[in-house]
Amino acid sequence: MAKQPAAESQSLSREDIYLFHEGNFFHSYRMFGAHLTAENGREGVRFTVWAPNAVSVGVATDRNGWDGSADPLEAVPDSGGIWSAFIEGIGYGDLYKYAIESITGERLLKADPYGAYAEIRPNTASRVGSVDGYEWGDQAWRRKRRAPYAKPMNIYEMQLGTWRQKDDGTFYTYRELADVLIPYVKEMGYTHLEFMPLTEYPYDLSWGYQATGYFAPTSRYGEAKDLMYLIDRCHQADIGVLLDWVPGHFAKDAHGLRQFDGTPQYEYADPMLAEKPGWGTLSFDFGKPEVQSFLISSALYWMDVFHFDGLRIDAVTSMLRLDFEKKPHQWRPNEHGGVENVDAIEFLRKLNRTIFAYYPNAIMAAEESSAWPNVTAPAHEGGLGFNYKWNMGWMNDTLKYMETWFDERPSLHNLLTFPLVYAHSENFMLPLSHDEVVHGKKSLLDKMPGLYEEKFAGLRLLLGYQITHPGKKLLFMGGEFGQFIEWKDEEQLDWLLLDYEAHRQMRTYTAALNHFYLEEKALWEIDHEWEGYDWISASDAGQSVITFMRKGKKSGDTLYVLINFRPIAYEDYRIGVDKPGTYKEVFNSDDPRFGGGGMLNSGTIRAEKAEWHGREYNIPVKLPALGMVVLKKGGRSGDTPNSAIEIEPAEPAPKRKAAAKKTAAAKKEETPKKKTTAKKAKTDETAAATKKSSVKKKTASESALQPKSDEAEAN
């Protein structure tokens, strides 16, 4: 191991001790753990640990035969169970555990809860680490960070060990990934990376969601400074980086936090509160002040030390609800007779107040799968204080619809329209995450019904629908090129599929779509306000078509979006528009470059003076089977559609047969010549409710767009 410079020791002050036990020692990692230092001219390590019910604590190392009595820690007087000592001669990379004697006489060997470095699994010792001394080059990125709401956010979610592996099956290191990952992300047009959990964890197949080290980046991919280098390089390339962080529960492994000093220390003492039976893990005791100091310090640590731009908080619903995935005999109501975990609610509010006090423009995203209200409203207004929530309702409805056979889609049209009723009730992210491509759920591509070509058209449609729907975006790795089988959580993605034209074209499409998103302000500038969305028609259930507008602050940025969810093309599909003049196609998922049939709207389209969809004018559009067309007003005939990214043209695919042109009488209504059915009436009601909701000026999410009020409260 390279020798690390020793810093002068920082002693644990009485104020630190007080704040720790009050739940307000938000940088406790600076004092607890193992810190290389010099005391009285001697170099070594200052060890500090909280073990309130221990009889004795020592540092067990390979140099003392793992006998902690050889290097004992001293109980800090009047500290509430804090133990500390300076031990000379221990250096960077040396192995250690805490040897703890419990009140029952049991002898435990525990990894350091605040350890900054860990052995590579299956070994479980902590190592003396250091996070000091890295020279950052991302100052320009950090200076220009602003509130994320009126900016594009398109996140590429990834698991570092299975994105790409070396020829021999070993992992790329954090440092090596910088050279292969960053160019790919830039080429594909993503704005952010989200890493699945990197807090040290013992079992590969937990994917990091069952952690043992909340301050140690996993050693699978290198050391702390290697991770810093990766994030630094991302920032220098204008890529934000988020971390999936798991405060809801922790692993039961013997070397971890469970019964740390021989008693329930980090977990609830009550098994009905502590046990997560579905996952085989334990819940943190969110009401214990020392646990609050520990967890909030961990959250800040990843931002302070590693410069992460924000956190995605895993399994928030499991924290909020006492009955989460439990049978009736496995939980009991709170003192008010409800299912709410009051401790967890208050902890989350405190966490978010603290984060925004230090990092006003951070991203704090909740994976909250229920209809819990005001997740993204400020804590002082009764919300949980996040500034983003994963829209699990949109995800479930959308995937259910997309997996349905084409002829059955008209009966499920409300799955496309209902999400707009609540689309602005929170600040939403639209996730197509790892959870949707595992455990027999099939890959996104394989979820799509139909023939081979129709599956790819369906995936293009799904991603196009996501990009044009209100909310920030997230896609799990592999979806961008059509991974055909589920995520293999021990092997790399099937990059060999790019040897096949259809998958190359799929990746070309995703890159073009992402760059189109970046260029079009209407897709993100007023993303969280009703003024940014307007239905043209939500009621064409019979043909499984939706049409709508996305708007920016300037009228000239408005986009007109048509999405056809059935494998039937229309040569003349009319939509109502408000203004005369010409319109041009700016994106079409059926472009031959993307593997489509080539049904494009070339040149310009002139609006006709005839009412349609309650609007004064209308335009005729060629709408491809399983296709998305996006138009913009004011184009010139020489403009080239889909110019967001230069991509080598692909061989055109055979055109699908278009449906016959409609008669003049039929042109006045794009839906089939059937009487209005109950299902259609219900869809019309949904559209009306959506439009009615759009006049509401004050929503919970509107307040959440201003986290600074929370910052003042936290300060």
Side-chain angles (χ1 to χ4, degrees):
M1 297 287 177
K3 182 176 175 58
Q4 301 290 314
E8 284 299 320
S9 175
Q10 299 183 54
S11 60
L12 195 68
S13 71
R14 305 313 300 179
E15 181 183 5
D16 294 335
I17 294 170
Y18 173 79
L19 290 173
F20 178 69
H21 292 302
E22 288 292 303
N24 296 320
F25 192 13
F26 299 141
H27 295 88
S28 56
Y29 65 84
R30 294 174 181 167
M31 299 299 176
F32 287 95
H35 294 272
L36 288 163
T37 187
E39 296 188 11
N40 300 319
R42 301 175 298 150
E43 291 192 356
V45 173
R46 166 64 65 172
F47 293 93
T48 304
V49 65
W50 174 57
N53 295 308
V55 174
S56 66
V57 181
V59 177
T61 67
D62 51 357
R63 76 172 191 173
N64 64 22
W66 300 101
D67 179 5
S69 64
D71 289 300
L73 301 188
E74 298 174 357
V76 178
D78 302 318
S79 68
I82 297 173
W83 302 74
S84 187
F86 172 79
I87 300 177
E88 186 179 3
I90 296 181
Y92 181 83
D94 285 350
L95 302 173
Y96 72 98
K97 284 185 177 180
Y98 291 118
I100 298 172
E101 181 184 356
S102 75
I103 55 176
T104 63
E106 185 180 9
R107 297 187 179 275
L108 308 169
L109 283 177
K110 293 286 189 175
D112 190 344
Y114 283 88
Y117 190 12
E119 268 194 296
I120 297 177
R121 56 52 181 135
N123 297 323
T124 59
S126 298
R127 308 192 87 122
V128 175
S130 174
V131 294
D132 299 324
Y134 181 81
E135 294 185 10
W136 288 89
D138 66 347
Q139 293 81 4
W141 167 268
R142 287 165 70 83
R143 279 196 301 270
K144 71 181 181 183
R145 282 192 303 190
R146 298 293 184 270
Y149 312 107
K151 291 186 173 184
M153 188 187 302
N154 190 4
I155 302 164
Y156 187 62
E157 184 195 24
M158 61 177 298
Q159 205 274 338
L160 290 186
T162 56
W163 179 69
R164 189 184 290 276
Q165 295 173 356
K166 298 178 181 178
D167 291 342
D168 61 0
T170 58
F171 298 140
Y172 282 88
T173 67
Y174 297 119
R175 192 170 288 268
E176 291 168 339
L177 275 167
D179 292 329
V180 291
L181 176 61
I182 293 170
Y184 183 79
V185 172
K186 291 297 290 183
E187 177 189 357
M188 293 303 299
Y190 292 102
T191 64
H192 290 73
L193 284 164
E194 180 175 303
F195 297 149
M196 288 171 67
L198 295 177
T199 47
E200 191 59 81
Y201 57 101
Y203 184 46
D204 285 358
L205 297 186
S206 80
W207 313 334
Y209 290 100
Q210 297 186 12
T212 51
Y214 276 75
F215 295 84
T218 178
S219 297
R220 288 165 174 80
Y221 316 119
E223 301 181 24
K225 291 185 178 62
D226 298 323
L227 177 56
M228 294 176 190
Y229 175 83
L230 172 58
I231 296 170
D232 194 7
R233 286 277 305 275
C234 286
H235 285 171
Q236 291 177 47
D238 286 330
I239 300 168
V241 190
L242 310 177
L243 177 65
D244 202 340
W245 185 66
V246 190
H249 61 128
F250 58 87
K252 287 184 176 181
D253 294 64
H255 69 284
L257 299 176
R258 178 180 178 270
Q259 300 270 320
F260 184 78
D261 63 2
T263 66
Q265 182 177 329
Y266 287 90
E267 68 270 34
Y268 284 106
D270 181 350
M272 283 197 172
L273 293 172
E275 293 288 342
K276 301 276 190 183
W279 298 336
T281 56
L282 292 170
S283 171
F284 283 101
D285 182 346
F286 301 111
K288 189 176 289 184
E290 296 85 358
V291 172
Q292 294 173 14
S293 289
F294 174 81
L295 286 173
I296 295 174
S297 292
S298 173
L300 281 171
Y301 174 78
W302 298 103
M303 297 184 186
D304 292 341
V305 174
F306 292 93
H307 291 197
F308 277 101
D309 299 287
L311 304 173
R312 178 263 193 184
I313 312 302
D314 178 64
V316 169
T317 312
S318 77
M319 301 169 66
L320 296 173
R321 295 186 63 97
L322 298 169
D323 64 344
F324 180 80
E325 293 189 357
K326 290 185 177 181
K327 297 176 182 178
H329 67 277
Q330 294 175 326
W331 71 281
R332 68 171 64 90
N334 63 31
E335 60 182 359
H336 307 293
V339 300
E340 302 86 1
N341 186 333
V342 177
D343 290 343
I345 294 168
E346 292 307 315
F347 164 74
L348 290 170
R349 288 171 175 164
K350 184 174 184 176
L351 168 71
N352 286 315
R353 283 197 302 266
T354 306
I355 293 294
F356 287 121
Y358 287 98
Y359 296 99
N361 298 316
I363 295 165
M364 293 293 286
E367 186 214 13
E368 203 288 301
S369 57
S370 73
W372 195 278
N374 299 325
V375 172
T376 58
H380 72 271
E381 293 183 8
L384 293 182
F386 292 95
N387 58 355
Y388 282 99
K389 173 182 174 176
W390 275 25
N391 193 336
M392 309 297 279
W394 174 88
M395 180 270 295
N396 286 316
D397 286 350
T398 297
L399 292 181
K400 180 179 179 181
Y401 182 89
M402 295 301 298
E403 291 179 85
T404 300
W405 193 256
F406 308 119
D407 291 344
E408 299 171 10
R409 286 181 174 180
S411 67
L412 297 177
H413 197 71
N414 65 300
L415 296 179
L416 299 175
T417 57
F418 179 69
L420 266 301
V421 173
Y422 62 87
H424 300 90
S425 62
E426 304 273 10
N427 301 331
F428 281 123
M429 288 183 179
L430 309 180
L432 294 171
S433 74
H434 67 278
D435 277 330
E436 308 317 311
V437 294
V438 291
H439 302 322
K441 295 180 182 178
K442 302 193 290 190
S443 70
L444 292 181
L445 179 64
D446 202 21
K447 291 178 193 287
M448 303 298 111
L451 302 173
Y452 183 77
E453 294 82 1
E454 290 172 328
K455 284 182 174 291
F456 281 95
L459 182 55
R460 293 196 300 272
L461 204 62
L462 171 62
L463 299 186
Y465 175 53
Q466 180 197 36
I467 284 289
T468 56
H469 193 283
K472 306 309 183 187
K473 327 297 176 186
L474 180 141
L475 180 68
F476 184 58
M477 63 183 194
E480 75 275 17
F481 63 80
Q483 174 90 3
F484 219 118
I485 62 175
E486 288 187 345
W487 172 42
K488 298 175 293 184
D489 51 11
E490 293 183 282
E491 301 175 33
Q492 69 173 349
L493 297 177
D494 289 333
W495 296 103
L496 56 86
L497 291 176
L498 293 174
D499 292 340
Y500 298 88
E501 184 179 43
H503 294 275
R504 290 198 304 273
Q505 291 172 329
M506 186 67 226
R507 186 171 70 171
T508 296
Y509 169 79
T510 306
L513 182 67
N514 290 348
H515 284 275
F516 176 73
Y517 169 74
L518 291 175
E519 292 181 359
E520 297 296 338
K521 292 182 178 180
L523 295 176
W524 43 263
E525 193 172 41
I526 48 176
D527 208 22
H528 302 296
E529 302 173 32
W530 276 110
E531 290 77 9
Y533 188 96
D534 194 7
W535 281 113
I536 297 173
S537 173
S539 61
D540 191 2
Q543 295 180 116
S544 300
V545 175
I546 57 173
T547 54
F548 54 91
M549 289 184 283
R550 292 300 312 274
K551 300 177 181 180
K553 293 180 180 178
K554 297 179 180 178
S555 61
D557 292 331
T558 299
L559 299 176
Y560 301 79
V561 183
L562 301 86
I563 307 181
N564 177 13
F565 291 93
R566 296 191 75 186
I568 300 171
Y570 303 99
E571 288 284 350
D572 184 354
Y573 191 99
R574 290 186 179 255
I575 62 169
V577 294
D578 291 321
K579 297 179 180 179
T582 58
Y583 294 76
K584 73 165 183 174
E585 179 179 281
V586 291
F587 198 89
N588 189 322
S589 67
D590 202 47
D591 194 300
R593 294 177 300 153
F594 308 147
M599 190 176 186
L600 308 177
N601 293 273
S602 56
T604 58
I605 306 169
R606 183 164 294 277
E608 299 178 14
K609 176 82 165 144
E611 185 177 333
W612 218 276
H613 295 136
R615 301 176 190 273
E616 192 174 352
Y617 301 89
N618 73 81
I619 55 175
V621 181
K622 292 180 180 179
L623 184 57
L626 294 174
M628 180 183 75
V629 173
V630 185
L631 307 170
K632 207 170 185 179
K633 190 180 183 305
R636 298 187 298 270
S637 58
D639 290 339
T640 303
N642 307 319
S643 59
I645 182 171
E646 294 296 327
I647 299 169
E648 194 70 21
E651 287 289 321
K655 272 194 177 181
R656 295 195 184 103
K657 188 174 180 180
K661 285 191 176 182
K662 299 176 185 177
T663 64
K667 286 181 182 179
K668 290 207 173 179
E669 178 56 57
E670 78 276 20
T671 52
K673 293 183 181 179
K674 295 179 182 177
K675 297 291 184 182
T676 302
T677 63
K679 288 174 182 172
K680 181 179 182 300
K682 183 177 180 182
T683 307
D684 285 333
E685 280 177 23
T686 302
T690 304
K691 195 147 191 169
K692 185 176 180 182
S693 297
S694 69
V695 302
K696 294 181 180 178
K697 298 291 185 182
K698 183 70 175 175
T699 64
S701 61
E702 186 178 355
S703 297
L705 296 180
Q706 302 171 16
K708 289 185 179 178
S709 56
D710 262 5
E711 295 155 36
E713 181 182 350
N715 282 326

